[in-house]
Amino acid sequence: MEANKEQQSIIEYYTKNHSEKRILLVEAPPGTGKTFTAVATAIEYTKKQLEINTKYNKKVLILTFSKNARAQIEKQLEQFSDNNINFQKFIEISNFHSFFQKYVWAYSKYLGLKEDLNILSPKQRKFMLSNEFIKIQAYDGDDKQYEWAESLLEGEFYPLTYKGNIKPSIKKLIPYKEELKDIIKNINKDGYIGFSDIGYYMNELLNKSELLLKTIQNKYNLIILDEYQDASDLQDKIVKKLIGKQNKAIFFADSKQMIYGWRGADSNRLLDLLKYYDLEIEQKSLKKSMRFKNHKDIENVLNLAREGKYNIYDFNSSSNIKYIKVEVNDKNLYSRQSKNQMYAALKYKIKNALPKYEDIQGKSVGILCRSNELVRYIKKSLREEFKITTYELNNNEEEHNIMGDLVKFFSKTDLNIDELTREMLKYIFAVIYDEKIGSIKKNKLNTIMYNNLKRARTPILKEFANLIEQAENTKEYKETLIKCIEIVKDNDLKVNYDMYSLLKRVLLCSSNKADNINNLFLQHQYLKAYKELKGIYVLNVHQSKGREFDYTYVIDRENIIKEDNLLYVALSRVKDKLVIFDWIMKK
């Protein structure tokens, strides 16, 4: 790929411009070649340093927010081959959590934590924290209370009412903020830590050890930050410490894609950078989009959405954009009856609008919704009613919960046959989309007994019953689970292949240690992020961030349009064809 003038001015900023400032802020909308520019800049900078000093041994650090973004950058780096230079030696690419984790794990004892830290799954963490939070009188177990309290080490993210006020259930907990923090810290000291806590300990580590901070600053003399509009206050503090007073830095950002305000992103983040670095910072921008050279209709819609001028009532289809009206009697999503009718009308419109099988071979379809409830409904409808296969993109929490359960399962040696039955069925249902197998229902697992399997008429349940009976005697739980998972794959069940491959990989590993299972889980997540998207995916708009789909379906635009940035993110996921659905009142 050849750089255009905008990209070239950034790529050569630290190599050909001798009056440059050490900090650069680049506004980079989707499709303008941000990833290419970031990697090319790192390479150009490295080449220049090696020309100046053949013994150059420092690195460029590229920090991203997600494993997916990290994977895309690593793919881009692989395309820059040079027989004389091993760029991987001089360019380090990481996402924030992985970068912080490396140092927190290495210095855990110095931080007052155990040496063997275990990252709790969301399910395990909620169980452990809730049991302690309940000791605080104002805590009543409300989900919003838990979400606010659980993330306190990462930042104070106040859930608001639709009027913009702090929710009453949170307000009554605020006086106990420090007590809640202490509860989390005490559990962390016992070796159980959550993803959201790792940044806190990285910041504490840099505050505590000036020597370590200087060592890191000396290791990376250019730091490139990706999607910086999404940085939280804590991440912003850490990044500024890493840059220090001497290092160079490039902040790539897009103010129109700031959609994580509920997780600490701040609409003033970029303005604050300009104030903080003052005379040391320069602004540039990437404006020219390369993604839509032959798709002017899509480019025009994106430009209007970016300017906040996109009109919901402009139903004009074009060669690459299709608008679909979903006629309903009522548009009240707060009424169960009305919502059921709206969803029912929508699912048929989506099914009929999907490309033909032969048209999407090797391509991706992203169906983007505003709410998780609608995501679940469409997934289920496509799979169960229309027999259309969908794939998982963002089920990290579910996978992590299963891995946490598996660690506990491996430690058990004397389960009775009813307990063993429930354990086996838990993992069997984890690798399928089906809500039931014969008479056994997924939502009733806690009450299932071995005799329920033994008496079942469905052949596959009888197979499970025979294997479980043998396992009770042999105590070979792991080997039995492997056999059960294989039976699932060979039967007429809707298999979740992402979960199947993860579970199979862990079960075939010789080590049952928690840290080893956690590493396998993280590797699986990264490999999934690295993989090219093919097939149909149903997800919410936030989950789609950083992804692109050949065909992008934007569902329930009327609700998304209330948030300009969210609408822009949804529309800008498209590569070739854009399909937009709206509920319209019947005349």
Side-chain angles (χ1 to χ4, degrees), residues 32 38 85 117 120 125 179 196 203 268 347 409 412 573:
T32 54
I85 305 173
L117 289 173
L120 288 169
R125 183 170 169 84
E179 290 179 52
S196 59
N203 192 49
N268 294 317
K347 69 183 177 185
F409 177 55
K412 295 173 181 176
R573 300 307 95 203

Side-chain angles (χ1 to χ4, degrees), residues 35 39 42-43 62 72-81 87-89 91-93:
T35 301
V39 174
I43 286 171
I62 304 180
Q72 300 311 312
I73 292 172
E74 290 192 349
K75 283 182 189 177
Q76 189 74 68
L77 182 60
E78 287 176 2
Q79 295 175 21
F80 286 90
S81 59
F87 291 125
Q88 279 79 6
K89 178 182 175 183
I91 301 171
E92 182 178 335
I93 302 165

Side-chain angles (χ1 to χ4, degrees), residues 58-104:
K58 295 190 177 185
K59 289 188 175 187
V60 176
L61 173 64
I62 304 180
L63 272 181
T64 75
F65 279 84
S66 67
K67 293 181 180 68
N68 169 56
R70 173 185 163 192
Q72 300 311 312
I73 292 172
E74 290 192 349
K75 283 182 189 177
Q76 189 74 68
L77 182 60
E78 287 176 2
Q79 295 175 21
F80 286 90
S81 59
D82 190 316
N83 295 329
N84 299 314
I85 305 173
N86 177 11
F87 291 125
Q88 279 79 6
K89 178 182 175 183
F90 297 100
I91 301 171
E92 182 178 335
I93 302 165
S94 182
N95 55 297
F96 275 101
H97 276 123
S98 296
F99 184 76
F100 297 165
Q101 184 181 340
K102 175 174 67 173
Y103 288 99
V104 172

Side-chain angles (χ1 to χ4, degrees), residues 335-396:
S335 161
R336 172 57 61 183
Q337 183 178 355
S338 172
K339 182 163 64 176
N340 288 345
Q341 189 257 333
M342 291 168 70
Y343 284 9
L346 176 65
K347 69 183 177 185
Y348 286 103
K349 289 286 188 178
I350 294 172
K351 185 256 184 184
N352 293 333
L354 286 173
K356 293 180 180 178
Y357 177 79
E358 55 269 22
D359 293 337
I360 58 170
Q361 287 301 292
K363 293 189 176 182
S364 59
V365 178
I367 301 176
L368 313 184
C369 307
R370 177 65 185 90
S371 71
N372 287 326
E373 180 187 43
L374 192 50
V375 168
R376 290 189 292 269
Y377 180 87
I378 294 173
K379 277 184 183 179
K380 187 174 181 181
S381 297
L382 291 178
R383 282 197 301 261
E384 296 184 7
E385 294 183 53
F386 306 127
K387 309 302 179 187
I388 295 173
T389 301
T390 62
Y391 296 90
E392 296 295 330
L393 189 59
N394 298 81
N395 62 347
N396 293 343

Side-chain angles (χ1 to χ4, degrees), residues 50-64:
L50 287 169
E51 283 177 20
I52 297 169
N53 177 11
T54 56
K55 294 183 179 180
Y56 172 75
N57 62 356
K58 295 190 177 185
K59 289 188 175 187
V60 176
L61 173 64
I62 304 180
L63 272 181
T64 75

Side-chain angles (χ1 to χ4, degrees), residues 108-345:
S108 59
K109 200 170 181 180
Y110 179 66
L111 285 163
L113 305 171
K114 282 193 172 181
E115 287 186 84
D116 297 324
L117 289 173
N118 178 32
I119 298 179
L120 288 169
S121 72
K123 179 181 172 183
Q124 291 172 319
R125 183 170 169 84
K126 188 169 187 178
F127 176 78
M128 292 185 77
L129 290 181
S130 294
N131 282 346
E132 295 299 316
F133 288 166
I134 203 71
K135 295 174 183 176
I136 292 175
Q137 190 175 3
Y139 183 80
D140 57 22
D142 174 80
D143 282 345
K144 290 299 179 185
Q145 280 192 333
Y146 173 77
E147 289 168 12
W148 177 78
E150 180 270 338
S151 62
L152 277 174
L153 294 191
E154 186 181 11
E156 293 178 43
F157 313 130
Y158 292 99
L160 304 177
T161 66
Y162 69 95
K163 291 183 177 180
N165 302 316
I166 298 173
K167 291 198 171 181
S169 62
I170 305 301
K171 207 165 188 176
K172 67 180 184 180
L173 261 189
I174 293 174
Y176 303 93
K177 182 177 65 179
E178 294 305 318
E179 290 179 52
L180 292 164
K181 283 184 179 181
D182 288 340
I183 287 172
I184 298 171
K185 290 176 190 176
N186 287 334
I187 288 176
N188 290 342
K189 285 176 184 177
D190 289 335
Y192 304 103
I193 195 168
F195 275 115
S196 59
D197 299 340
I198 297 173
Y200 168 83
Y201 287 104
M202 180 65 179
N203 192 49
E204 288 294 294
L205 182 59
L206 298 181
N207 288 339
K208 192 172 181 180
S209 176
E210 189 175 344
L211 177 60
L212 176 63
L213 176 57
K214 287 181 178 178
T215 301
I216 297 174
Q217 288 172 340
N218 193 50
K219 184 178 180 180
Y220 310 106
N221 56 2
L222 172 60
I223 299 177
I224 299 176
L225 291 309
D226 183 37
E227 301 282 5
Y228 205 70
Q229 75 279 348
D230 291 330
S232 67
D233 289 343
L234 181 59
Q235 290 164 338
D236 186 57
K237 285 178 186 175
I238 295 170
V239 164
K240 285 171 179 169
K241 286 173 185 172
L242 299 180
I243 294 169
K245 298 186 180 300
Q246 301 296 325
N247 286 336
K248 298 176 174 65
I250 303 178
F251 294 87
F252 284 95
D254 182 3
S255 56
K256 296 296 182 180
Q257 289 194 77
M258 202 288 285
I259 60 173
Y260 290 106
W262 52 275
R263 205 62 189 171
D266 190 331
S267 57
N268 294 317
R269 181 74 62 221
L270 306 187
L271 289 174
D272 289 343
L273 282 178
L274 294 171
K275 290 178 184 177
Y276 183 84
Y277 288 109
D278 196 17
L279 299 177
E280 295 183 292
I281 190 169
E282 182 172 341
Q283 284 184 277
K284 285 183 176 289
S285 61
L286 296 173
K287 296 178 181 176
K288 187 176 181 180
S289 174
M290 274 81 62
R291 193 190 298 173
F292 308 113
K293 291 178 182 177
N294 301 315
H295 298 51
K296 288 297 178 186
D297 49 352
I298 292 178
E299 188 172 6
N300 289 338
V301 163
L302 288 180
N303 287 339
L304 287 172
R306 189 172 182 85
E307 294 168 11
K309 298 177 181 177
Y310 183 51
N311 191 340
I312 189 172
Y313 298 109
D314 289 342
F315 292 102
N316 297 313
S317 292
S318 57
S319 56
N320 301 300
I321 304 175
K322 187 175 183 181
Y323 290 91
I324 295 179
K325 298 179 182 180
V326 184
E327 292 191 339
V328 293
N329 294 318
D330 186 15
K331 291 198 294 182
N332 182 8
L333 285 170
Y334 295 99
S335 161
R336 172 57 61 183
Q337 183 178 355
S338 172
K339 182 163 64 176
N340 288 345
Q341 189 257 333
M342 291 168 70
Y343 284 9

